[in-house]
Amino acid sequence: MSAFFYYLALPFIYLVSYLPFRVLYLLSDLMYLLLYRVIGYRKAVVTANLERSFPEKTPEEIAAIRSGYYRYFCDLCLEVIKTLTISSAATKAHFSSDDMSVFEHYRDNKQSVIIVMGHLGNWELCGAWFSQLPLHQLYVLYHPLKSKHFDGLFYRMRTRHGTRLYAMKKAFRGMVRDRGELTATAFIADQTPPPSGAHWMAFLNQDTAVFKGTETIARKLDYPVIYLSVIRERRGHYKVSSELLAEHPRDLPENALTEMHTRRLEQDIVAHPETWLWSHRRWKHERPQEDRPA
């Protein structure tokens, strides 16, 4: 059945990917009306996430952020499809950066690094842009999809500009195997991990389970960890900034790096709330009883 839907959808997906951006955003405006105004896709989830994250905001302010999020979410979905056919020149035209000197420093010293970021801005298109810079070979962790057809489509989409992928469960093994290569391995660390084994902390005014894999691997390999921020300046245009969080993660106390990158992401979300992935059920777990403070 999944193969049937894949081949049914594939011509439409490629047609959308070839649309000029101005036409793409007209389509996005129609999607917004359908998803938000008519269907109300995950509206209760988005509203609850926003209200708990920003208890100081009025209902009108929450509604404004929610509307802005749905407008951006529709843009994001179509921009991701656009990565199937977008040219290198067009990708570069949609991104800018003030300073990538932290990557240049480690490139010049032949030191591989770890990138940590969140589902803020267009992380997919950012990977295509980063892979064209004369820096490190970019690897990205990903969850393989259940459908082999759609998984293959997303694999092509993510790798066509030079990005390479590690399946999540094989990431550490792959990084050890590739230690002779100059790499930047990107972890999108605001996933929802199983409650046991996660690090629990306050995040956006809520008790939150945080993925520890970034810190665990960083400490084992002792790679410098760089936070990457992807901020939308205007529709379809993003600015990337980088910040060194830890040069030697092994020297930090346990959980310190996890707290650092989560706090840094929180700052970006508070400053640019419309462009984070609010429709995800980020807080679906509760802290296990044994992990609760006395």
Side-chain angles (χ1 to χ4, degrees):
M1 185 62 72
S2 63
F4 172 77
F5 284 114
Y6 171 77
Y7 287 111
L8 187 66
L10 193 60
F12 173 76
I13 292 171
Y14 268 95
L15 175 63
V16 170
S17 75
Y18 280 110
L19 293 176
F21 274 96
R22 64 182 182 276
V23 180
L24 203 72
Y25 292 134
L26 289 175
L27 180 59
S28 178
D29 291 341
L30 293 175
M31 281 182 59
Y32 164 78
L33 293 174
L34 180 63
L35 286 183
Y36 183 51
R37 300 296 184 185
V38 179
I39 298 175
Y41 169 74
R42 292 199 171 188
K43 194 172 182 179
V45 173
V46 173
T47 302
N49 284 343
L50 288 170
E51 288 176 344
R52 289 195 297 260
S53 298
F54 302 109
E56 76 285 358
K57 294 191 181 296
T58 66
E60 292 76 18
E61 290 172 321
I62 294 295
I65 296 172
R66 184 179 62 206
S67 176
Y69 166 69
Y70 277 95
R71 288 190 180 278
Y72 178 67
F73 178 72
C74 293
D75 282 1
L76 175 65
C77 291
L78 295 180
E79 288 173 7
V80 169
I81 292 176
K82 185 72 176 172
T83 61
L84 270 171
T85 57
I86 193 171
S87 68
S88 298
T91 304
K92 292 176 183 177
H94 285 264
F95 279 83
S96 64
S97 177
D98 285 337
D99 184 10
M100 298 294 278
S101 60
V102 64
F103 288 100
E104 294 168 355
H105 167 75
Y106 289 114
R107 176 202 62 194
D108 295 344
N109 284 278
K110 295 181 171 51
Q111 171 65 62
S112 292
V113 300
I114 285 174
I115 296 171
V116 61
M117 57 195 301
H119 288 96
L120 186 86
N122 193 327
W123 59 93
E124 295 281 0
L125 200 55
C126 180
W129 169 78
F130 186 95
S131 289
Q132 297 173 66
L133 301 178
L135 298 171
H136 298 70
Q137 169 62 55
L138 178 65
Y139 281 85
V140 175
L141 273 65
Y142 82 109
H143 284 291
L145 301 177
K146 292 181 180 179
S147 167
K148 67 176 183 179
H149 298 90
F150 281 103
D151 185 63
L153 181 68
F154 272 88
Y155 191 94
R156 293 195 300 275
M157 181 189 301
R158 288 167 172 159
T159 59
R160 58 185 296 267
H161 288 288
T163 302
R164 298 175 187 169
L165 303 180
Y166 289 131
M168 183 72 74
K169 293 182 179 180
K170 300 178 180 178
F172 179 67
R173 188 187 314 164
M175 293 175 72
V176 171
R177 180 195 65 213
D178 298 328
R179 290 192 75 167
E181 190 177 0
L182 187 63
T183 64
T185 305
F187 291 70
I188 299 183
D190 55 351
Q191 311 277 354
T192 303
S196 59
H199 175 62
W200 286 84
M201 59 180 289
F203 171 66
L204 292 172
N205 293 298
Q206 296 166 81
D207 196 25
T208 306
V210 181
F211 178 64
K212 290 180 66 173
T214 308
E215 175 174 329
T216 300
I217 292 178
R219 287 168 66 91
K220 285 180 178 179
L221 297 176
D222 205 30
Y223 283 179
V225 178
I226 300 168
Y227 175 78
L228 203 67
S229 179
V230 185
I231 302 301
R232 184 179 64 162
E233 294 190 300
R234 63 184 192 279
R235 203 172 199 183
H237 292 266
Y238 300 88
K239 176 164 281 188
V240 179
S241 60
S242 54
E243 177 183 331
L244 178 65
L245 295 183
E247 184 159 34
H248 293 289
R250 285 179 184 164
D251 295 341
L252 296 176
E254 186 178 2
N255 298 321
L257 180 60
T258 300
E259 297 251 353
M260 289 167 65
H261 69 67
T262 305
R263 290 277 170 254
R264 186 60 189 82
L265 174 62
E266 184 179 50
Q267 293 175 21
D268 279 346
I269 294 170
V270 171
H272 308 277
E274 295 87 356
T275 60
W276 193 55
L277 202 59
W278 293 104
S279 51
H280 177 56
R281 293 183 63 234
R282 182 64 181 86
W283 292 278
K284 62 185 177 182
H285 298 308
E286 292 186 1
R287 187 193 294 241
Q289 190 67 39
E290 62 270 18
D291 289 339
R292 296 182 182 182

